[in-house]
Amino acid sequence: MYLTKCLIIVSVIPIPFLLTLSFTWTYYLDYLSYMVSPAPSSHYDYIVVGAGSAGSVVAGRLSEAGANVLLVEAGGPAPSLAHIPAMVATLQNSPIDWMFKTEKQEHASLAMGGVSSWPRGKVLGGTSILNYMLYVRG
């Protein structure tokens, strides 16, 4: 029993470190590619704010129609850990999450004092990166 607890602790400790390393590595690679790429255009037909599921589709369809589109996102690309469903829980309350909280409610989230975490993605792909790869309607 003690050995099992030790193995669980040892296997869980590096997850925040791996997430930070993955995010930092991705950031530096993107910065380097930005530095060596040509300057972006100074004229755009459309500016789409938010590169989540909907924003990416809108920008893609506009560019397919021949428009010059600028897609703006507050975050950067998703870290490599975002593509592993079991690691999604480590992405909440991380640098790619806006870390929103709900207002205190009397009959909701009683274990958390009436305040719920409301994960919203600050990354290419938006909140769909944080929703455990589930189809969520709403």
Side-chain angles (χ1 to χ4, degrees):
M1 184 69 164
Y2 179 74
L3 181 62
T4 304
K5 288 181 182 178
C6 288
L7 288 174
I8 290 172
I9 290 172
V10 168
S11 66
V12 171
I13 287 174
I15 290 175
F17 172 73
L18 291 175
L19 179 62
T20 304
L21 181 66
S22 171
F23 185 76
T24 306
W25 180 254
T26 305
Y27 173 80
Y28 284 124
L29 286 177
D30 289 334
Y31 182 73
L32 288 174
S33 69
Y34 166 76
M35 293 301 288
V36 298
S37 63
S41 173
S42 61
H43 175 266
Y44 298 100
D45 299 322
Y46 297 96
I47 298 175
V48 179
V49 178
S53 302
S56 297
V57 169
V58 167
R61 297 228 173 125
L62 287 170
S63 64
E64 286 172 356
N68 193 7
V69 181
L70 174 64
L71 179 61
V72 180
E73 173 60 47
S80 56
L81 291 178
H83 304 292
I84 305 170
M87 302 302 279
V88 172
T90 63
L91 297 174
Q92 294 181 7
N93 296 322
S94 73
I96 66 167
D97 185 6
W98 285 105
M99 294 183 242
F100 292 146
K101 303 285 184 196
T102 62
E103 292 293 321
K104 188 172 181 178
Q105 298 178 30
E106 185 179 346
H107 300 292
S109 296
L110 299 178
M112 303 299 289
V115 178
S116 299
S117 178
W118 196 265
R120 302 282 99 186
K122 181 174 40 172
V123 65
L124 289 175
T127 305
S128 63
I129 295 293
L130 301 177
N131 71 0
Y132 293 87
M133 297 183 180
L134 298 173
Y135 174 72
V136 179
R137 249 183 111 165

